Amino acid sequence: MQVEVRLSIIIPCYNAVATLGEQLAALADQQWDRPWEVIVADNGSRDDSRRVAASFLARMPNLRIIDASARRGGAFARNEGARHARGTALAFVDADDVVAPGWVAAIGHALDRHPFVASRFDIERLNRHSWLSRIRRNPQADGLQQVSYPPYLSHAGGCGLAIERALHEQVGGFDETLLRLMDTDYCFRVQLQCHVALAFVPEALVYVRYRDTLRGMLRQTRERAIANVALARRYGGDRYAHRRSLSPWLAYTRRWMRQLLRATRIRRREQLAEWLRMNAWLIGLLQASWQYRCPPLAI
C-alpha cells in the first residue's frame, strides 16, 4: 500500500551548480513526522547541476530529479515539478537559497491551518560578504509584501511559498508567459480566484541570496519595474491603458529631478549603487511606458 505524500517541495533549477548543493544539504537535514518529497525540476541546465542533485540521491531517498527543459523559465519548471509531484500540498524553494533548520516542519504544520502560506526571509546570512547587500531591504522580514496598485493585495516571493495542490491546479499554476513577478501574479490569482488569504509563517525561515554584482542588480531592478507595470495594467484594467493626462509625466519628470539633486550628495559607493538602482527603476518605468503605450506609473 502506497503511503500518501503530504508535501512535495519543488526546486526549479537552471545552471545552479554553485548553490544547489547547499540547498539540498539543508533539506537533507530536515525532520518532519509526515511523508514528504523533494523534486529538482531541471530547466535545461548546461552545467553539472544534475550531477550535484544526483549526488544526494543516496542521502535523500525522497529526492527525485525530473526533466523540465521543454520550455525555458522558472514558471514552467515549477509547474512541471507540480505535475510530477505526489504530494497533496506543494512548496516552492529556489536553487540559490537555503531553507533554515525546521523549515519543512514549520511550513507543513502551517498548511494544516491555512491553505496558502509564505515564509519569512533572512537576507544577511548569504549576502554578508557583498557590499551591495548593505543597500538592500528585506521585503519579508516580518510580514507579507504589498503592491501600491490594484488589486492592492498581499504577495510573497516564490521561494518559500506553499499551497494546497487543489488550489494550485484551480488557478492553472504559474503563468509561464511571465519572465518576472510570476510569483506576485500567482499570489494575486490564488487570492482572487480561490477566495483564500495568503498567510505569513514567521517560523518558516528561508535564507535568501541576492545577486552579488552591480550589473546584475541593476538589470533585475529594471526588469522588475517593467513587470510591475505589466501587472498594474493586467489588474488595473483600462484605467492605465487609456490615461492621457500630463500629470503622470510631470510626476515622473520630478522623480528624475530629485535623482539629479541626490547625485550631488553621493559620497560612498553604497550611495552610488542606490542612486544607480533608482535610475534603473525609472528607466524600466519609461521602457514599460513605451512598450505598453501608457504614461509612466507611480510605482
Side-chain angles (χ1 to χ4, degrees):
M1 179 177 173
Q2 189 173 8
V3 177
E4 181 182 78
V5 176
R6 172 54 179 153
L7 183 64
S8 294
I9 299 168
I10 298 162
I11 309 175
C13 172
Y14 178 71
N15 290 349
V17 66
T19 58
L20 178 61
E22 191 175 1
Q23 178 70 286
L24 289 174
L27 286 166
D29 289 337
Q30 301 279 313
Q31 300 291 328
W32 192 34
D33 58 4
R34 299 176 70 177
W36 57 285
E37 65 175 356
V38 177
I39 298 173
V40 174
D42 180 43
N43 196 218
S45 298
R46 298 190 183 95
D47 62 7
D48 284 338
S49 293
R50 288 182 72 96
R51 180 188 58 78
V52 170
S55 70
F56 282 84
L57 289 171
R59 184 177 170 186
M60 300 174 66
N62 59 341
L63 170 66
R64 287 190 288 143
I65 306 166
I66 67 162
D67 181 11
S69 61
R71 180 174 183 175
R72 185 61 49 79
F76 175 80
R78 288 187 179 102
N79 289 341
E80 192 68 8
R83 283 188 281 269
H84 284 77
R86 300 172 181 144
T88 60
L90 310 170
F92 302 94
V93 297
D94 288 345
D96 57 350
D97 299 325
V98 178
V99 296
W103 179 84
V104 170
I107 212 74
H109 290 313
L111 284 166
D112 290 336
R113 305 187 304 272
H114 310 282
F116 189 32
V117 298
S119 302
R120 178 166 62 95
F121 286 172
D122 175 289
I123 66 169
E124 297 179 359
R125 175 171 171 172
L126 299 182
N127 304 291
R128 64 183 62 172
H129 299 301
S130 171
W131 67 272
L132 286 173
S133 66
R134 292 195 286 272
I135 71 170
R136 304 291 186 93
R137 70 176 188 87
N138 187 341
Q140 279 176 228
D142 51 19
L144 298 170
Q145 303 178 52
Q146 194 100 14
V147 292
S148 60
Y149 51 81
Y152 303 112
L153 289 172
S154 299
H155 66 102
C159 179
L161 276 179
I163 189 170
E164 292 293 341
R165 184 191 191 114
L167 297 182
H168 174 85
E169 293 175 349
Q170 183 176 337
V171 299
F174 291 86
D175 186 339
E176 297 172 11
T177 68
L178 298 177
L179 299 179
R180 292 281 182 192
L181 301 188
M182 68 284 289
D183 44 9
T184 301
D185 172 75
Y186 183 79
C187 290
F188 290 171
R189 287 189 290 112
V190 170
Q191 292 173 88
L192 292 171
Q193 297 177 28
C194 303
H195 306 290
V196 299
L198 175 60
F200 182 67
V201 187
E203 301 83 12
L205 178 64
V206 176
Y207 302 116
V208 174
R209 193 187 314 269
Y210 282 145
R211 299 195 177 187
D212 59 359
T213 66
L214 180 60
R215 174 180 289 185
M217 182 190 73
L218 296 180
R219 182 175 65 250
Q220 184 182 58
T221 299
R222 179 179 58 82
E223 292 173 352
R224 288 180 69 88
I226 296 171
N228 268 284
V229 173
L231 288 188
R233 284 172 49 81
R234 173 178 289 189
Y235 291 95
D238 290 342
R239 76 184 72 178
Y240 292 121
H242 302 298
R243 284 163 66 187
R244 291 293 183 267
S245 170
L246 286 176
S247 58
W249 287 105
L250 291 174
Y252 180 77
T253 302
R254 291 190 187 105
R255 293 176 77 175
W256 271 114
M257 295 299 294
R258 289 195 294 270
Q259 277 297 97
L260 294 175
L261 290 174
R262 290 192 184 105
T264 64
R265 298 193 291 269
I266 294 174
R267 299 292 182 271
R268 303 190 307 275
R269 64 177 181 175
E270 291 87 352
Q271 292 174 315
L272 175 61
E274 174 58 24
W275 184 78
L276 291 172
R277 188 190 67 80
M278 181 53 67
N279 287 352
W281 179 264
L282 292 174
I283 290 170
L285 293 182
L286 186 61
Q287 284 185 267
S289 176
W290 175 261
Q291 180 176 342
Y292 298 113
R293 300 294 190 269
C294 67
L297 305 185
I299 56 178

